[in-house]
Amino acid sequence: EAIKSVEGAKIEACLFNCTSPESITAAMPILRELVPSIRIGGFANGFHTAESGEGEYRDLSPAEYYDSFVAKWIESGATIVGGCCGVFPAHIAHLRKALVPAASL
């Protein structure tokens, strides 16, 4: 519904933000299918939803965040990736190193 409600608008990108990396991983292929002509991406947080319904922080290493989640988003078509609450500068630095060829740093 949200995608249809902005049909015809000049949207450059559509991203998921501030939710679990698992949710973004599951939703990214669906988003790519819904909006094949714009950039997509995600900024996940470092939490997961516990049975209590509240987020609990988990200590994902920068490599785990990239390997377990961000790489899958990119495989699904994401071109904008990053992190939100609980994803720290070390995670973003790892993403940059993984995504930008060393020669261009």
Side-chain angles (χ1 to χ4, degrees):
E1 288 180 29
I3 299 294
K4 289 180 183 177
S5 72
V6 294
E7 194 170 338
K10 294 181 181 180
I11 297 173
E12 293 184 25
C14 187
L15 288 77
F16 295 109
N17 185 49
C18 202
T19 190
S20 73
E22 290 88 355
S23 294
I24 293 177
T25 301
M28 196 67 68
I30 298 166
L31 183 60
R32 173 73 301 153
E33 187 176 317
L34 289 171
V35 290
S37 61
I38 66 170
R39 297 176 70 197
I40 62 170
F43 291 178
N45 61 35
F47 301 91
H48 63 90
T49 301
E51 289 182 17
S52 67
E54 296 183 18
E56 294 180 357
Y57 178 71
R58 61 179 154 187
D59 191 16
L60 286 173
S61 73
E64 284 178 296
Y65 182 66
Y66 178 78
D67 294 341
S68 298
F69 301 108
V70 177
K72 293 176 183 173
W73 307 344
I74 293 168
E75 288 173 14
S76 295
T79 58
I80 304 169
V81 295
C84 194
C85 308
V87 175
F88 301 106
H91 295 91
I92 303 305
H94 184 84
L95 293 180
R96 185 167 191 260
K97 284 182 183 176
L99 298 172
V100 178
S104 65
L105 291 178

Coordinates of all heavy atoms in Angstrom, one line a residue:
E1 N 0.8 -1.2 0.0 CA 0.0 0.0 0.0 C 0.9 1.3 0.0 O 0.5 2.2 -0.7 CB -0.9 0.0 1.2 CG -2.1 -1.0 1.1 CD -2.9 -0.9 2.4 OE1 -3.0 0.1 3.0 OE2 -3.5 -2.0 2.7
A2 N 1.9 1.2 0.8 CA 2.8 2.4 0.9 C 3.4 2.8 -0.4 O 3.4 3.9 -0.9 CB 3.8 2.2 2.0
I3 N 3.9 1.8 -1.1 CA 4.5 2.0 -2.5 C 3.5 2.6 -3.4 O 3.8 3.5 -4.1 CB 5.1 0.7 -3.0 CG1 6.2 0.1 -2.1 CG2 5.6 0.8 -4.4 CD1 7.4 1.0 -1.9
K4 N 2.3 2.0 -3.4 CA 1.2 2.5 -4.4 C 0.8 3.9 -4.0 O 0.4 4.7 -4.9 CB 0.0 1.5 -4.3 CG 0.3 0.2 -5.0 CD -0.9 -0.7 -5.0 CE -0.5 -2.0 -5.6 NZ -1.6 -3.0 -5.5
S5 N 0.9 4.3 -2.7 CA 0.4 5.6 -2.3 C 1.3 6.7 -2.8 O 0.9 7.9 -2.9 CB 0.3 5.7 -0.8 OG 1.5 5.7 -0.2
V6 N 2.5 6.4 -3.2 CA 3.5 7.4 -3.7 C 3.8 7.2 -5.2 O 4.7 7.9 -5.7 CB 4.8 7.5 -2.9 CG1 4.5 7.9 -1.5 CG2 5.5 6.1 -2.9
E7 N 3.0 6.5 -5.9 CA 3.2 6.2 -7.3 C 3.2 7.5 -8.0 O 2.3 8.4 -7.8 CB 2.1 5.3 -7.8 CG 2.4 4.7 -9.2 CD 1.4 3.6 -9.6 OE1 0.8 3.0 -8.7 OE2 1.3 3.4 -10.8
G8 N 4.2 7.7 -8.9 CA 4.3 8.9 -9.7 C 5.2 10.0 -9.0 O 5.5 11.0 -9.7
A9 N 5.5 9.8 -7.7 CA 6.4 10.8 -7.1 C 7.8 10.5 -7.5 O 8.1 9.5 -8.0 CB 6.3 10.6 -5.5
K10 N 8.6 11.5 -7.4 CA 10.0 11.4 -7.8 C 10.8 10.9 -6.6 O 11.5 11.6 -5.9 CB 10.6 12.8 -8.2 CG 9.9 13.3 -9.5 CD 10.5 14.6 -9.9 CE 9.8 15.1 -11.2 NZ 10.3 16.4 -11.6
I11 N 10.7 9.6 -6.4 CA 11.4 8.9 -5.3 C 12.7 8.4 -5.8 O 12.8 7.6 -6.8 CB 10.6 7.8 -4.7 CG1 9.3 8.4 -4.1 CG2 11.3 7.0 -3.7 CD1 8.3 7.5 -3.6
E12 N 13.8 8.7 -5.1 CA 15.1 8.2 -5.6 C 15.5 6.9 -4.9 O 16.3 6.1 -5.5 CB 16.2 9.2 -5.3 CG 16.0 10.5 -6.1 CD 17.1 11.5 -5.9 OE1 18.2 11.1 -5.5 OE2 16.9 12.7 -6.1
A13 N 15.0 6.6 -3.7 CA 15.4 5.4 -3.0 C 14.3 5.1 -2.0 O 13.5 5.9 -1.5 CB 16.7 5.6 -2.3
C14 N 14.3 3.8 -1.6 CA 13.4 3.3 -0.5 C 14.2 2.4 0.4 O 14.8 1.5 -0.1 CB 12.2 2.6 -1.2 SG 10.9 2.1 0.0
L15 N 14.2 2.7 1.7 CA 15.0 2.0 2.6 C 14.2 1.5 3.8 O 13.2 2.1 4.2 CB 16.2 2.9 3.1 CG 17.3 3.2 2.2 CD1 16.9 4.3 1.2 CD2 18.5 3.7 2.9
F16 N 14.7 0.4 4.4 CA 14.3 0.0 5.7 C 15.2 0.6 6.8 O 16.4 0.6 6.5 CB 14.3 -1.5 5.8 CG 13.3 -2.2 4.9 CD1 13.8 -2.9 3.8 CD2 11.9 -2.1 5.1 CE1 12.9 -3.5 2.9 CE2 11.0 -2.7 4.2 CZ 11.5 -3.4 3.1
N17 N 14.7 1.0 7.9 CA 15.5 1.6 8.9 C 15.0 1.2 10.3 O 13.8 1.0 10.5 CB 15.4 3.1 8.8 CG 16.4 3.8 9.8 OD1 17.5 3.4 9.9 ND2 15.9 4.8 10.5
C18 N 16.0 1.0 11.2 CA 15.7 0.9 12.7 C 14.8 -0.4 13.0 O 13.9 -0.3 13.7 CB 15.1 2.1 13.3 SG 15.4 2.2 15.1
T19 N 15.2 -1.5 12.4 CA 14.5 -2.7 12.7 C 15.6 -3.8 12.7 O 16.7 -3.5 12.3 CB 13.4 -3.0 11.7 OG1 12.6 -4.2 12.2 CG2 13.9 -3.3 10.3
S20 N 15.2 -5.0 13.0 CA 16.2 -6.1 13.1 C 16.8 -6.4 11.8 O 16.1 -6.3 10.7 CB 15.6 -7.3 13.7 OG 14.8 -8.0 12.8
P21 N 18.1 -6.8 11.7 CA 18.7 -7.2 10.5 C 17.9 -8.4 9.8 O 17.9 -8.5 8.6 CB 20.1 -7.5 10.8 CG 20.2 -7.5 12.3 CD 19.0 -6.9 12.8
E22 N 17.4 -9.3 10.7 CA 16.6 -10.4 10.1 C 15.4 -9.9 9.3 O 15.1 -10.5 8.3 CB 16.2 -11.4 11.2 CG 17.3 -12.1 11.9 CD 18.0 -11.4 13.0 OE1 17.6 -10.2 13.3 OE2 18.8 -12.0 13.7
S23 N 14.7 -8.9 9.9 CA 13.5 -8.4 9.2 C 13.9 -7.8 7.9 O 13.2 -8.0 6.9 CB 12.8 -7.3 10.1 OG 12.3 -7.9 11.3
I24 N 15.0 -7.0 7.9 CA 15.4 -6.4 6.6 C 15.8 -7.5 5.6 O 15.5 -7.4 4.4 CB 16.5 -5.4 6.9 CG1 16.0 -4.2 7.7 CG2 17.2 -4.9 5.6 CD1 17.0 -3.2 8.1
T25 N 16.5 -8.5 6.1 CA 16.9 -9.6 5.2 C 15.7 -10.2 4.5 O 15.7 -10.5 3.3 CB 17.8 -10.6 5.9 OG1 18.9 -9.9 6.5 CG2 18.3 -11.7 5.0
A26 N 14.7 -10.5 5.3 CA 13.5 -11.1 4.8 C 12.7 -10.2 3.8 O 12.1 -10.6 2.8 CB 12.6 -11.5 5.9
A27 N 12.7 -8.9 4.1 CA 11.9 -7.9 3.3 C 12.6 -7.4 2.1 O 11.9 -7.0 1.1 CB 11.5 -6.8 4.2
M28 N 13.9 -7.4 2.0 CA 14.6 -6.8 0.9 C 14.3 -7.4 -0.4 O 14.0 -6.6 -1.4 CB 16.2 -6.9 1.1 CG 16.9 -5.9 0.3 SD 16.7 -4.2 0.6 CE 17.5 -4.0 2.2
P29 N 14.2 -8.7 -0.6 CA 13.8 -9.2 -1.9 C 12.4 -8.8 -2.3 O 12.1 -8.5 -3.5 CB 13.8 -10.7 -1.8 CG 14.6 -11.0 -0.6 CD 14.5 -9.7 0.3
I30 N 11.5 -8.6 -1.4 CA 10.1 -8.2 -1.6 C 10.1 -6.7 -2.1 O 9.5 -6.4 -3.1 CB 9.2 -8.3 -0.4 CG1 9.2 -9.8 0.0 CG2 7.8 -7.7 -0.6 CD1 8.6 -10.1 1.4
L31 N 10.9 -5.9 -1.4 CA 11.0 -4.5 -1.8 C 11.6 -4.4 -3.2 O 11.1 -3.6 -4.0 CB 11.9 -3.7 -0.8 CG 12.0 -2.2 -1.1 CD1 10.7 -1.5 -1.0 CD2 13.0 -1.6 -0.1
R32 N 12.6 -5.2 -3.5 CA 13.2 -5.1 -4.9 C 12.2 -5.4 -5.9 O 12.1 -4.8 -7.0 CB 14.4 -6.1 -4.9 CG 15.0 -6.3 -6.3 CD 15.9 -5.1 -6.8 NE 15.2 -3.8 -6.9 CZ 15.7 -2.6 -6.9 NH1 17.0 -2.5 -6.7 NH2 15.0 -1.5 -7.0
E33 N 11.3 -6.4 -5.6 CA 10.3 -6.8 -6.6 C 9.2 -5.7 -6.8 O 8.8 -5.4 -7.9 CB 9.6 -8.1 -6.1 CG 8.6 -8.7 -7.1 CD 8.1 -10.0 -6.7 OE1 8.8 -10.8 -6.2 OE2 6.9 -10.2 -6.8
L34 N 8.9 -5.0 -5.7 CA 7.9 -4.0 -5.7 C 8.4 -2.7 -6.4 O 7.6 -2.0 -7.0 CB 7.4 -3.6 -4.3 CG 6.6 -4.6 -3.6 CD1 6.4 -4.3 -2.1 CD2 5.2 -4.8 -4.2
V35 N 9.7 -2.4 -6.2 CA 10.2 -1.1 -6.8 C 11.5 -1.5 -7.6 O 12.6 -1.1 -7.2 CB 10.4 -0.1 -5.7 CG1 9.1 0.5 -5.2 CG2 11.3 -0.6 -4.6
P36 N 11.3 -2.1 -8.8 CA 12.5 -2.5 -9.5 C 13.4 -1.4 -10.1 O 14.5 -1.6 -10.4 CB 11.9 -3.4 -10.6 CG 10.5 -2.9 -10.8 CD 10.1 -2.4 -9.4
S37 N 12.8 -0.2 -10.1 CA 13.6 0.9 -10.8 C 14.2 1.9 -9.9 O 14.7 2.9 -10.4 CB 12.6 1.6 -11.8 OG 11.5 2.2 -11.2
I38 N 14.1 1.8 -8.6 CA 14.7 2.7 -7.7 C 15.7 2.0 -6.8 O 15.7 0.8 -6.7 CB 13.7 3.6 -6.9 CG1 13.0 2.7 -5.9 CG2 12.8 4.3 -7.8 CD1 12.2 3.5 -4.9
R39 N 16.6 2.8 -6.2 CA 17.6 2.3 -5.3 C 16.9 1.8 -4.0 O 16.0 2.5 -3.6 CB 18.7 3.3 -5.0 CG 19.5 3.7 -6.2 CD 20.4 4.8 -5.9 NE 21.5 4.3 -5.1 CZ 22.3 5.0 -4.4 NH1 22.2 6.3 -4.4 NH2 23.3 4.5 -3.6
I40 N 17.4 0.7 -3.5 CA 16.8 0.2 -2.2 C 18.0 0.0 -1.2 O 19.2 -0.1 -1.6 CB 16.0 -1.1 -2.4 CG1 16.9 -2.2 -2.9 CG2 14.8 -0.8 -3.3 CD1 16.2 -3.6 -2.9
G41 N 17.6 -0.1 0.1 CA 18.7 -0.4 1.0 C 18.1 -0.6 2.4 O 16.9 -0.6 2.6
G42 N 19.0 -0.6 3.4 CA 18.6 -0.8 4.8 C 19.7 -0.4 5.8 O 20.9 -0.5 5.5
F43 N 19.2 0.1 6.9 CA 20.0 0.5 8.0 C 19.4 -0.3 9.2 O 18.5 0.2 9.9 CB 19.9 2.0 8.3 CG 20.6 2.9 7.3 CD1 20.6 4.2 7.4 CD2 21.3 2.4 6.2 CE1 21.2 5.1 6.5 CE2 21.9 3.2 5.3 CZ 21.8 4.5 5.4
A44 N 19.9 -1.4 9.6 CA 19.3 -2.2 10.7 C 19.9 -1.8 12.0 O 20.9 -1.1 12.1 CB 19.7 -3.7 10.4
N45 N 19.2 -2.2 13.0 CA 19.8 -1.9 14.4 C 20.4 -3.2 14.9 O 20.4 -4.2 14.2 CB 18.7 -1.4 15.3 CG 17.5 -2.4 15.5 OD1 17.7 -3.6 15.6 ND2 16.3 -1.8 15.7
G46 N 21.0 -3.1 16.1 CA 21.8 -4.2 16.6 C 20.9 -5.0 17.6 O 21.5 -5.6 18.5
F47 N 19.6 -5.0 17.5 CA 18.8 -5.6 18.4 C 18.0 -6.7 17.8 O 17.9 -6.8 16.6 CB 17.8 -4.6 19.0 CG 18.4 -3.5 19.7 CD1 18.7 -2.3 19.0 CD2 18.8 -3.5 21.1 CE1 19.4 -1.2 19.7 CE2 19.4 -2.5 21.7 CZ 19.7 -1.3 21.0
H48 N 17.4 -7.6 18.6 CA 16.5 -8.6 18.1 C 15.3 -8.5 19.0 O 15.4 -8.1 20.2 CB 17.1 -10.0 17.9 CG 17.5 -10.6 19.2 ND1 16.7 -11.3 20.0 CD2 18.7 -10.5 19.8 CE1 17.4 -11.7 21.0 NE2 18.6 -11.3 21.0
T49 N 14.1 -8.9 18.5 CA 12.9 -8.8 19.4 C 12.9 -10.1 20.2 O 12.9 -11.2 19.7 CB 11.7 -8.7 18.5 OG1 11.8 -7.5 17.7 CG2 10.4 -8.6 19.4
A50 N 12.8 -9.9 21.5 CA 12.7 -11.0 22.4 C 11.2 -11.5 22.6 O 10.3 -10.8 22.2 CB 13.3 -10.6 23.8
E51 N 11.0 -12.6 23.2 CA 9.7 -13.0 23.5 C 8.9 -12.0 24.3 O 7.7 -11.9 24.2 CB 9.7 -14.4 24.2 CG 10.2 -15.5 23.4 CD 10.1 -16.8 24.1 OE1 9.5 -16.9 25.1 OE2 10.8 -17.8 23.6
S52 N 9.6 -11.2 25.1 CA 8.9 -10.2 25.8 C 8.3 -9.0 25.0 O 7.5 -8.2 25.4 CB 9.9 -9.5 26.8 OG 10.9 -8.8 26.2
G53 N 8.8 -9.0 23.7 CA 8.3 -8.0 22.8 C 9.2 -6.8 22.8 O 8.9 -5.8 22.1
E54 N 10.2 -6.8 23.6 CA 11.1 -5.7 23.7 C 12.5 -6.1 23.1 O 12.9 -7.2 23.1 CB 11.4 -5.3 25.2 CG 10.1 -4.8 25.8 CD 10.4 -4.3 27.2 OE1 11.5 -4.0 27.6 OE2 9.4 -4.2 28.0
G55 N 13.1 -5.1 22.5 CA 14.4 -5.3 21.8 C 15.5 -5.6 22.9 O 15.6 -5.0 23.9
E56 N 16.3 -6.6 22.5 CA 17.5 -6.9 23.3 C 18.7 -6.8 22.5 O 18.8 -7.3 21.4 CB 17.4 -8.4 23.9 CG 16.2 -8.6 24.8 CD 16.2 -10.0 25.4 OE1 16.9 -10.9 24.9 OE2 15.3 -10.3 26.2
Y57 N 19.7 -6.1 23.0 CA 20.9 -5.9 22.2 C 21.7 -7.2 22.1 O 21.7 -8.0 23.0 CB 21.8 -4.8 22.9 CG 23.1 -4.6 22.2 CD1 23.1 -4.0 20.9 CD2 24.3 -5.1 22.7 CE1 24.3 -3.8 20.2 CE2 25.5 -4.9 21.9 CZ 25.5 -4.3 20.7 OH 26.6 -4.2 20.0
R58 N 22.3 -7.4 21.0 CA 23.2 -8.5 20.8 C 24.5 -8.0 20.3 O 24.5 -7.0 19.5 CB 22.6 -9.6 19.9 CG 22.3 -9.0 18.6 CD 21.8 -10.0 17.7 NE 21.0 -9.3 16.7 CZ 20.3 -9.9 15.8 NH1 20.2 -11.2 15.8 NH2 19.6 -9.2 14.9
D59 N 25.6 -8.5 20.6 CA 26.9 -8.0 20.3 C 27.4 -8.7 19.0 O 28.1 -9.7 19.0 CB 27.9 -8.3 21.4 CG 29.2 -7.5 21.2 OD1 29.2 -6.6 20.3 OD2 30.2 -7.9 21.8
L60 N 26.9 -8.2 17.8 CA 27.4 -8.7 16.5 C 28.7 -8.0 16.2 O 28.8 -6.8 16.3 CB 26.4 -8.3 15.4 CG 25.0 -9.1 15.4 CD1 24.1 -8.4 14.3 CD2 25.3 -10.5 15.0
S61 N 29.7 -8.8 15.8 CA 30.9 -8.2 15.4 C 30.7 -7.6 14.1 O 29.7 -7.9 13.4 CB 32.0 -9.3 15.3 OG 31.7 -10.1 14.1
P62 N 31.6 -6.6 13.7 CA 31.4 -6.0 12.4 C 31.4 -7.0 11.2 O 30.6 -6.9 10.3 CB 32.6 -5.1 12.3 CG 32.9 -4.7 13.7 CD 32.6 -6.0 14.5
A63 N 32.2 -8.1 11.3 CA 32.2 -9.1 10.3 C 30.9 -9.9 10.3 O 30.4 -10.2 9.2 CB 33.4 -10.0 10.4
E64 N 30.4 -10.2 11.4 CA 29.1 -10.9 11.5 C 27.9 -10.1 10.9 O 27.1 -10.6 10.2 CB 28.7 -11.2 13.0 CG 29.5 -12.3 13.6 CD 29.0 -12.5 15.0 OE1 29.3 -11.6 15.8 OE2 28.4 -13.6 15.4
Y65 N 27.9 -8.8 11.2 CA 26.9 -7.9 10.7 C 26.9 -7.9 9.2 O 25.9 -8.1 8.5 CB 27.1 -6.5 11.2 CG 26.0 -5.5 10.8 CD1 24.7 -5.7 11.2 CD2 26.3 -4.4 10.0 CE1 23.7 -4.8 10.8 CE2 25.3 -3.5 9.6 CZ 24.0 -3.7 10.0 OH 23.1 -2.8 9.6
Y66 N 28.1 -7.8 8.6 CA 28.2 -7.8 7.1 C 27.9 -9.2 6.6 O 27.1 -9.3 5.7 CB 29.6 -7.3 6.7 CG 29.8 -7.4 5.2 CD1 29.2 -6.4 4.4 CD2 30.4 -8.5 4.6 CE1 29.3 -6.4 3.0 CE2 30.4 -8.5 3.2 CZ 29.9 -7.5 2.4 OH 30.0 -7.6 1.1
D67 N 28.6 -10.2 7.0 CA 28.5 -11.5 6.4 C 27.1 -12.1 6.6 O 26.6 -12.8 5.7 CB 29.5 -12.5 7.1 CG 31.0 -12.1 6.7 OD1 31.2 -11.4 5.8 OD2 31.9 -12.6 7.5
S68 N 26.5 -11.9 7.8 CA 25.2 -12.6 8.0 C 24.0 -11.8 7.5 O 23.0 -12.4 7.3 CB 25.0 -12.7 9.6 OG 26.0 -13.6 10.1
F69 N 24.2 -10.5 7.3 CA 23.1 -9.7 6.9 C 23.3 -8.8 5.7 O 22.6 -8.9 4.7 CB 22.6 -8.9 8.1 CG 22.2 -9.7 9.3 CD1 23.0 -9.7 10.4 CD2 21.1 -10.5 9.3 CE1 22.7 -10.6 11.5 CE2 20.7 -11.3 10.3 CZ 21.5 -11.4 11.4
V70 N 24.2 -7.8 5.8 CA 24.4 -6.8 4.8 C 24.7 -7.5 3.4 O 24.2 -7.1 2.4 CB 25.4 -5.8 5.2 CG1 25.7 -4.8 4.0 CG2 25.0 -5.1 6.4
A71 N 25.5 -8.5 3.4 CA 25.9 -9.1 2.1 C 24.6 -9.7 1.4 O 24.5 -9.6 0.2 CB 26.9 -10.2 2.3
K72 N 23.7 -10.2 2.2 CA 22.4 -10.7 1.7 C 21.5 -9.6 1.1 O 20.9 -9.8 0.2 CB 21.7 -11.5 2.8 CG 22.4 -12.8 3.1 CD 21.7 -13.5 4.3 CE 22.6 -14.7 4.7 NZ 22.1 -15.4 5.9
W73 N 21.6 -8.4 1.8 CA 20.8 -7.3 1.3 C 21.3 -6.9 -0.1 O 20.6 -6.6 -1.0 CB 20.8 -6.1 2.2 CG 20.5 -6.4 3.6 CD1 19.8 -7.5 4.2 CD2 20.8 -5.5 4.7 NE1 19.7 -7.3 5.5 CE2 20.3 -6.2 5.9 CE3 21.4 -4.3 4.9 CZ2 20.4 -5.6 7.2 CZ3 21.5 -3.7 6.1 CH2 21.0 -4.4 7.2
I74 N 22.6 -6.9 -0.2 CA 23.3 -6.5 -1.5 C 22.9 -7.5 -2.5 O 22.6 -7.2 -3.7 CB 24.8 -6.3 -1.3 CG1 25.0 -5.1 -0.4 CG2 25.5 -6.2 -2.6 CD1 26.5 -5.0 0.1
E75 N 22.9 -8.8 -2.2 CA 22.5 -9.8 -3.1 C 21.1 -9.6 -3.6 O 20.7 -10.0 -4.7 CB 22.7 -11.2 -2.5 CG 24.1 -11.7 -2.3 CD 24.2 -13.0 -1.5 OE1 23.2 -13.7 -1.4 OE2 25.3 -13.3 -1.1
S76 N 20.3 -9.1 -2.7 CA 18.9 -8.8 -3.1 C 18.7 -7.5 -3.8 O 17.5 -7.1 -4.1 CB 18.0 -8.8 -1.8 OG 18.0 -10.1 -1.2
G77 N 19.7 -6.8 -4.1 CA 19.6 -5.5 -4.8 C 19.9 -4.3 -4.1 O 19.8 -3.2 -4.7
A78 N 20.2 -4.3 -2.8 CA 20.4 -3.1 -2.0 C 21.7 -2.4 -2.5 O 22.7 -3.0 -2.7 CB 20.5 -3.4 -0.5
T79 N 21.6 -1.1 -2.6 CA 22.8 -0.3 -3.0 C 23.1 0.8 -1.9 O 24.1 1.5 -2.0 CB 22.6 0.4 -4.4 OG1 21.4 1.2 -4.3 CG2 22.4 -0.6 -5.5
I80 N 22.2 0.9 -0.9 CA 22.5 1.8 0.2 C 22.4 0.9 1.5 O 21.3 0.3 1.8 CB 21.4 2.9 0.2 CG1 21.3 3.6 -1.1 CG2 21.7 3.8 1.4 CD1 20.1 4.6 -1.2
V81 N 23.5 0.8 2.2 CA 23.5 0.0 3.4 C 24.2 0.8 4.5 O 25.1 1.6 4.3 CB 24.2 -1.4 3.2 CG1 23.4 -2.2 2.2 CG2 25.6 -1.2 2.7
G82 N 23.8 0.4 5.7 CA 24.5 1.1 6.9 C 23.9 0.5 8.2 O 23.6 -0.7 8.2
G83 N 23.8 1.3 9.2 CA 23.4 0.8 10.5 C 22.7 1.8 11.3 O 22.8 3.0 11.0
C84 N 21.9 1.4 12.2 CA 21.1 2.3 13.1 C 21.6 2.0 14.5 O 22.7 1.6 14.8 CB 19.6 2.0 12.9 SG 18.6 3.3 13.5
C85 N 20.7 2.2 15.5 CA 21.0 2.0 16.9 C 21.6 0.6 17.2 O 21.2 -0.4 16.7 CB 19.7 2.0 17.7 SG 18.7 3.5 17.4
G86 N 22.7 0.6 17.9 CA 23.4 -0.6 18.2 C 24.4 -1.1 17.1 O 25.0 -2.1 17.3
V87 N 24.5 -0.4 16.1 CA 25.5 -0.6 15.0 C 26.5 0.6 15.1 O 26.0 1.7 15.0 CB 24.9 -0.7 13.6 CG1 25.9 -0.8 12.5 CG2 23.9 -1.9 13.6
F88 N 27.7 0.3 15.3 CA 28.7 1.3 15.8 C 29.7 1.6 14.6 O 29.7 1.0 13.6 CB 29.4 0.8 17.0 CG 28.4 0.5 18.1 CD1 28.1 -0.8 18.5 CD2 27.8 1.6 18.8 CE1 27.2 -1.0 19.5 CE2 26.9 1.4 19.8 CZ 26.6 0.1 20.2
P89 N 30.5 2.6 14.9 CA 31.5 3.0 13.8 C 32.4 1.9 13.3 O 32.7 1.8 12.1 CB 32.3 4.1 14.6 CG 31.3 4.7 15.5 CD 30.5 3.6 16.0
A90 N 32.7 0.9 14.2 CA 33.5 -0.2 13.7 C 32.8 -1.0 12.7 O 33.4 -1.6 11.7 CB 33.9 -1.1 14.9
H91 N 31.4 -1.1 12.9 CA 30.6 -1.9 11.9 C 30.6 -1.1 10.5 O 30.8 -1.7 9.5 CB 29.2 -2.0 12.4 CG 29.0 -2.9 13.6 ND1 29.1 -2.3 14.8 CD2 28.9 -4.2 13.7 CE1 28.9 -3.3 15.7 NE2 28.8 -4.4 15.1
I92 N 30.4 0.2 10.6 CA 30.4 1.0 9.4 C 31.8 1.0 8.7 O 31.8 0.8 7.4 CB 29.9 2.4 9.7 CG1 28.5 2.4 10.3 CG2 29.9 3.3 8.4 CD1 27.5 1.6 9.6
A93 N 32.8 1.0 9.4 CA 34.2 1.0 8.9 C 34.4 -0.4 8.2 O 35.0 -0.4 7.1 CB 35.2 1.2 10.0
H94 N 33.9 -1.4 8.8 CA 34.0 -2.8 8.1 C 33.2 -2.8 6.8 O 33.7 -3.4 5.8 CB 33.5 -3.9 9.1 CG 33.7 -5.2 8.5 ND1 34.9 -5.9 8.6 CD2 32.9 -6.0 7.9 CE1 34.8 -7.1 8.1 NE2 33.6 -7.2 7.6
L95 N 32.0 -2.2 6.8 CA 31.2 -2.2 5.6 C 32.0 -1.5 4.5 O 32.0 -1.9 3.4 CB 29.9 -1.5 5.9 CG 28.9 -2.1 6.8 CD1 27.6 -1.3 6.9 CD2 28.5 -3.5 6.3
R96 N 32.5 -0.3 4.9 CA 33.3 0.4 3.9 C 34.4 -0.3 3.3 O 34.6 -0.4 2.1 CB 33.8 1.7 4.5 CG 34.4 2.6 3.4 CD 34.6 4.0 4.0 NE 35.0 4.9 2.9 CZ 36.3 5.3 2.7 NH1 37.2 4.9 3.4 NH2 36.5 6.1 1.7
K97 N 35.2 -1.0 4.1 CA 36.3 -1.8 3.7 C 35.8 -2.9 2.8 O 36.5 -3.3 1.8 CB 37.1 -2.3 4.8 CG 38.0 -1.3 5.5 CD 38.8 -1.9 6.6 CE 39.6 -0.9 7.3 NZ 40.3 -1.4 8.5
A98 N 34.7 -3.5 3.1 CA 34.2 -4.7 2.3 C 33.6 -4.2 1.0 O 33.7 -5.0 0.0 CB 33.1 -5.4 3.1
L99 N 33.1 -3.0 0.9 CA 32.4 -2.6 -0.2 C 33.2 -1.7 -1.2 O 32.9 -1.6 -2.4 CB 31.1 -1.8 0.2 CG 30.1 -2.7 0.9 CD1 29.0 -1.8 1.4 CD2 29.6 -3.8 0.1
V100 N 34.2 -1.0 -0.6 CA 35.0 -0.1 -1.5 C 36.4 -0.7 -1.7 O 37.1 -1.0 -0.8 CB 35.2 1.3 -0.7 CG1 36.0 2.3 -1.6 CG2 33.8 1.9 -0.5
P101 N 36.7 -0.8 -3.0 CA 38.0 -1.4 -3.3 C 39.2 -0.6 -2.6 O 39.1 0.6 -2.5 CB 38.1 -1.3 -4.8 CG 36.7 -1.1 -5.3 CD 36.0 -0.5 -4.2
A102 N 40.1 -1.3 -2.1 CA 41.3 -0.7 -1.4 C 41.9 0.5 -2.2 O 42.3 1.5 -1.6 CB 42.3 -1.7 -1.0
A103 N 42.0 0.3 -3.5 CA 42.7 1.3 -4.3 C 42.0 2.7 -4.3 O 42.6 3.7 -4.5 CB 42.8 0.8 -5.8
S104 N 40.7 2.7 -4.0 CA 39.9 3.9 -4.0 C 39.8 4.6 -2.6 O 39.2 5.6 -2.5 CB 38.5 3.7 -4.6 OG 37.8 2.9 -3.8
L105 N 40.3 3.9 -1.6 CA 40.2 4.5 -0.2 C 41.2 5.7 0.0 O 42.2 5.7 -0.6 CB 40.5 3.4 0.9 CG 39.5 2.3 1.0 CD1 39.9 1.3 2.0 CD2 38.1 2.9 1.4

